[in-house]
Amino acid sequence: MAAGVLAGLVGLIGLAAIYRGMAIGVVSVVSTIAATGPIVPILVGLVTGERPSVLQLAGIAMALAGIAMLAFDRRPSEPGRRLIPGVGLALLAALAFGVFLVAIRYASRPDPLWGVLATRTGSVGALLVLGLLFRSRVRVTRVDLPPLVAVGVLDVAADVFFAFATTIGLLSIVSILSSLYPVATVVLARIVLKERTARPQQAGIGLALAGVVLITV
């Protein structure tokens, strides 16, 4: 239960970071960088005795190279390189999601559903405390309800599926497979938001996703 509450707290930090990052930056870039969070459980696995294959190590290197290409942008009107808006928050989200994946793994060992319940208890409890401290007023209209409900249902469903997956599969493999979500995000950002990314960023997205694929081999 303690691991579940911890997962909920760090997961809340990760969600806040990625939502804010996508609001001020490029959705496809921020989501792809945040999806590299499984590097954390891989490192935890190394410390605890797991040994990735050569292809998996190559995949980790490719994912990191992809991050480097995504994080920097060269503007013709501005000399030198600078960080793309939202990259710092995306890196924070990646770290938080990585810790979340490890924590929910331990929370799900006795029972996946109880593990997810503990996770939600931690995140919702923290939100209530923050709301009381800052006297936040959330204004939700009828138009906002359908997307909010959809986000909540999909998010909880993803946690449940992941929790069950960690009980029957390796944490490192399950974590990497769960990080393939940017494929849908990038496609939707292109179709719905008409986002256009520079060629270096496109190559970085492809390299990061290719690294994820190699890690699963």
Side-chain angles (χ1 to χ4, degrees), residues 37-197:
I39 291 177
V40 174
I42 289 176
L43 294 177
V44 172
L46 287 174
V47 174
T48 57
E50 292 183 0
R51 291 295 177 264
S53 66
V54 175
L55 282 179
Q56 288 175 324
L57 291 174
I60 294 174
M62 290 177 65
L64 293 176
I67 291 176
M69 296 180 68
L70 285 167
F72 291 94
D73 188 20
R74 184 183 293 277
R75 304 295 176 88
S77 59
E78 301 178 10
R81 290 180 177 272
R82 70 183 185 86
L83 282 174
I84 292 177
V87 165
L89 290 169
L91 292 173
L92 173 61
L95 177 61
F97 289 153
V99 176
F100 169 84
L101 294 174
V102 175
I104 199 172
R105 165 68 178 89
Y106 288 99
S108 301
R109 280 184 173 178
D111 185 282
L113 293 179
W114 277 102
V116 173
L117 177 61
T119 299
R120 290 297 158 179
T121 300
S123 58
V124 173
L127 280 175
L128 291 176
V129 171
L130 290 174
L132 291 175
L133 289 177
F134 293 96
R135 298 180 180 178
S136 301
R137 294 182 179 179
V138 180
R139 297 178 180 178
V140 180
T141 64
R142 290 185 178 180
V143 178
D144 298 325
L145 286 178
L148 287 175
V149 172
V151 169
V153 171
L154 291 172
D155 190 31
V156 173
D159 287 348
V160 172
F161 285 130
F162 179 82
F164 274 101
T166 59
T167 63
I168 59 178
L170 296 177
L171 174 63
S172 56
I173 301 300
V174 171
S175 299
I176 293 299
L177 288 175
S178 70
S179 70
L180 289 172
Y181 72 86
V183 174
T185 306
V186 171
V187 172
L188 288 174
R190 180 68 181 90
I191 295 174
V192 179
L193 302 179
K194 309 299 181 183
E195 276 193 356
R196 293 183 179 273
T197 54

